[in-house]
Amino acid sequence: MLEKDIEKVLVSENEIKEIIHRLSTEIMQDYHDKFPLFVGLLKGCVPFMSDLLKELDMHLEVAFMNVSSYHGGIESTGDVKIDMDLGTPVKGRHVLLTEDIVDTGRTINAVVDLLKYRGALSVNVVTLVDKPEGRIIDFVPRYVGIEIPKVFVVGYGLDYEERYRNLPYVGVLKPEVYSKE
Ligand code: XMP
Ligand code: MG
């Protein structure tokens, strides 16, 4: 029933599988001897992080944070708020922040700065989707699944007003879905 709201699939289930295979290979090469701390940014990271972690044949630790920059709707307000902080110290750790999407770069940039300030040895970012045209802050994620144009997408963790996170692919909503309210 969710599919009827989707205008176009941008990243299919198969493409996601290939992306995860490629990223996990790169990450294992770079981190296999570093016992990294994977920090997932909730809630969007959940499907991506879950699939990615299962492909990583190495020792790692997992933690979560919930930060927000979008307050519902489809436009960024610019302020980044920590709604739930990490339960694991990052001091002396190699951190890999796991994101669903990087757009303006504000959210991820603020979190990277915070974790470095707290003493992380290194902080890199793995994101499924990158929207480089949306950048307001100069920020380049270390591992990028796929670059997409500046369109609002949902699925595979990404939401429109908390819905559609459970779609198994990334797609664009039909315009009438936004105008329903
Ligand atoms: P910034 O702009 O700080 O934003 O890089 C990153 C956060 O904004 C949300 N975001 C989106 N969410 N579809 C979504 O469902 C999108 O196309 C989109 N673009 C940005 C997302 O929560 C991300 O963590
Ligand atoms: Mg969101």
Side-chain angles (χ1 to χ4, degrees):
M1 68 169 285
L2 294 179
E3 205 173 329
K4 69 173 179 10
D5 293 346
I6 301 299
E7 180 157 278
K8 192 176 158 198
V9 175
L10 272 193
V11 197
S12 70
E13 288 188 69
N14 263 334
E15 284 175 280
I16 291 175
K17 280 206 183 93
E18 287 169 19
I19 286 169
I20 286 181
H21 183 73
R22 172 172 56 80
L23 294 179
S24 60
T25 307
E26 286 177 37
I27 291 171
M28 279 194 283
Q29 278 165 7
D30 298 345
Y31 284 90
H32 64 94
D33 56 353
K34 293 196 167 70
F35 187 46
L37 177 65
F38 275 77
V39 173
L41 297 185
L42 294 171
K43 308 167 198 166
C45 73
V46 169
F48 175 50
M49 191 168 178
S50 159
D51 287 344
L52 180 68
L53 291 181
K54 286 181 277 183
E55 291 294 310
L56 295 170
D57 181 20
M58 64 182 199
H59 289 291
L60 57 82
E61 202 177 340
V62 177
F64 294 96
M65 252 177 123
N66 190 355
V67 299
S68 52
S69 67
Y70 275 43
H71 303 286
I74 59 170
E75 271 184 68
S76 176
T77 57
D79 48 309
V80 178
K81 194 157 105 308
I82 297 182
D83 298 319
M84 187 196 88
D85 208 341
L86 280 173
T88 311
V90 296
K91 197 175 165 66
R93 300 299 301 270
H94 292 287
V95 174
L96 255 175
L97 278 170
T98 311
E99 254 288 35
D100 49 359
I101 193 163
V102 178
D103 184 11
T104 65
R106 281 182 180 131
T107 312
I108 202 70
N109 196 62
V111 178
V112 170
D113 283 352
L114 175 68
L115 301 189
K116 283 185 178 161
Y117 171 79
R118 289 178 179 174
L121 276 182
S122 67
V123 185
N124 276 316
V125 172
V126 51
T127 185
L128 175 70
V129 179
D130 191 10
K131 292 204 278 195
E133 288 167 27
R135 279 305 188 285
I136 287 172
I137 282 171
D138 188 19
F139 184 86
V140 183
R142 173 72 181 79
Y143 308 95
V144 173
I146 188 168
E147 284 188 5
I148 65 163
K150 211 180 163 201
V151 288
F152 190 80
V153 288
V154 297
Y156 203 66
L158 293 153
D159 70 301
Y160 170 59
E161 301 203 326
E162 297 301 326
R163 295 173 196 235
Y164 304 102
R165 293 192 198 275
N166 50 324
L167 276 174
Y169 52 81
V170 176
V172 181
L173 281 177
K174 288 180 181 163
E176 57 259 37
V177 178
Y178 300 119
S179 45
K180 256 182 203 157
E181 288 138 44

